[in-house]
Structures are given as structure tokens and as C-alpha cells.
Amino acid sequence: QFESAPLLHQQQYPYQHQYQQQPRLKQLTSQEFEFIHKLGYFQSQLDSPRAEDLAAIECRSRIEISTEGRFSSIFLETTNLSALLVLEYAKRLPRFSSLNQNDQVSVLKGGSSKCVLLRTARCYDPLSNCVLFSPSLVYALVPDHFLPTYINPIITFFQKVHSYCLDNVEAALMTAIILFDQKARIVHINQVNDVQMTYLNLLNTYAKSKTFNYSERIKQILDILNDIRGLSGLYEEMVQSVGQSRGQFPKLLTELWKKA
């Protein structure tokens, strides 16, 4: 489903020498530029499920007779598809394949729900208080569907993510940082930490290339990452509660989120 990122060369700007006296943003190296471009491209694919997958979810939801049945069908299946997209994204991340198989599995199991939470937050519309997975796959974050103990902190988090206006590269780097932020059941912990540091450093470099107030932008992004760490368990419980009320739970989510 994910294609290789097309090659893109950094644009050269004529007359740049005329503005040497003014403060300048950090210039990315060609290697940094290509790396960031590749991540942004993969992120755009993570954000854009295949039309046939969306149509299949919509078709199955229409079979449901009740409003509650339609909601739970859309909610669980879009969450499951998000998890699948995260797995496909992770497998294409530079240096993921350098980990041994055990650590790859641990990274995916430990980080998948956090990445799905971030992806879902970026689909949130604060005006309608709905998650817009696609124009026809929408669900509201209301007490009719979720317990207030679940949705109140989740809505607060979604509103924060929306207010920070993350671009695709920031979201891509955050997803990578989240995935490699694992300690449990990791065999080669130093290697995983080193991979995560690569993405943390690249985030810092990218922020410096985008804004002079990069320290504030990094602070906002780290704030989101800290929230995700604290909310991922609650989010998993929220999804599982809908599955329990429906009497079924997607197989992929069961495999990824089951406790050891």
C-alpha cells in the first residue's frame, strides 16, 4: 500500500547572497532534506487510506440496523485500519529493519496504540466534536458512545493537537519517536534508544529550519508526546470497552494490544 518516496532535490534560490546580513533559518543538508522529504511522503500515505478500504468499512457499517451498531462498526474498523497503516509506516522507517525481530515486534506492540491515538487526534474537528476519518466515516465524541472518564481527557488532548497545527513532517517524526520510545521487552535497548535519538535530533533540526522560535515549537511537540504517554492506556481501554459492548474486537488490535 505504501510506495517508495519519489526523489526530490532541494530547491536552489538565486540572489540568496543579497540577504547575508539578515538572520537566517538553519539550512538543511541535502541528506537531511531527502530524509525529511521521505518521511513526509510516507506520512501522507499514513494519512490517506486506500479508497477501497474506506468503502469496505462504509459498506459493512450500513448493514448495521441501529445507530449504536453503526457507530461501533465505524469506530472499531477505522481504529483497526489506523493500526494497520501505522504498521506499514513503521516497517518503512529508516533503521527499523536494522532491529532484530524481537525488538521490531516489541516496538510495534508498545507504540501502536500511541501512534493510532496521534493519527486519530489529527482527524479531530473541534467545531463538530467529531473524528472525521473520511467524509463518510465520522463519529462523535459524546457520552452516548463513550464514558465521560474516557472522552473528557481524550477531547482535551485532541483539542491541543488541533491547536498546534502539526505539519506532515512533524507528525511523521513524532510517530517515529513514539514507536522507538519503548523499554519493555526490548533486547537491544541501546540500539533502540540510538534510533530514537536519530529522530529526536532530526526533529530539532527541522524545527530550526522552520522557525526562529524553534525552542517553543519543540516544547509544544514534547508536550504532545508526554500527553500521549499518559493517555495511551486510557485510549486502549476506551477502544476495548466499545469492543466489549459490541461483543467482538478486531483481530489486529487484539494481537497488538493484548497484555503479556
Side-chain angles (χ1 to χ4, degrees), residues 5 9 23 42 72 75 84 92 102 109 112 119 131 133 165 168-169 187 192 209 224 236 243:
H9 298 290
F42 289 154
S72 61
F75 175 73
L84 178 59
R92 285 158 177 80
N102 176 84
K109 286 190 173 184
S112 61
R119 189 198 182 286
V131 172
F133 198 84
C165 301
N168 264 14
V169 172
V187 176
V192 173
S209 76
I224 292 175
E236 288 183 24

Side-chain angles (χ1 to χ4, degrees), residues 105-122:
V105 172
S106 296
V107 161
L108 294 174
K109 286 190 173 184
S112 61
S113 65
K114 300 180 182 72
C115 295
V116 171
L117 176 59
L118 176 61
R119 189 198 182 286
T120 305
R122 297 185 73 222

Side-chain angles (χ1 to χ4, degrees), residues 24-26 170 201 203-222:
R24 297 174 61 188
L25 295 171
K26 177 179 174 58
E170 289 170 331
N201 290 337
L203 174 62
N204 187 61
T205 299
Y206 178 71
K208 289 181 178 180
S209 76
K210 293 286 289 184
T211 176
F212 291 112
N213 193 19
Y214 65 89
S215 60
E216 180 61 28
R217 189 57 172 172
I218 292 294
K219 181 180 177 181
Q220 290 178 336
I221 291 174
L222 293 180

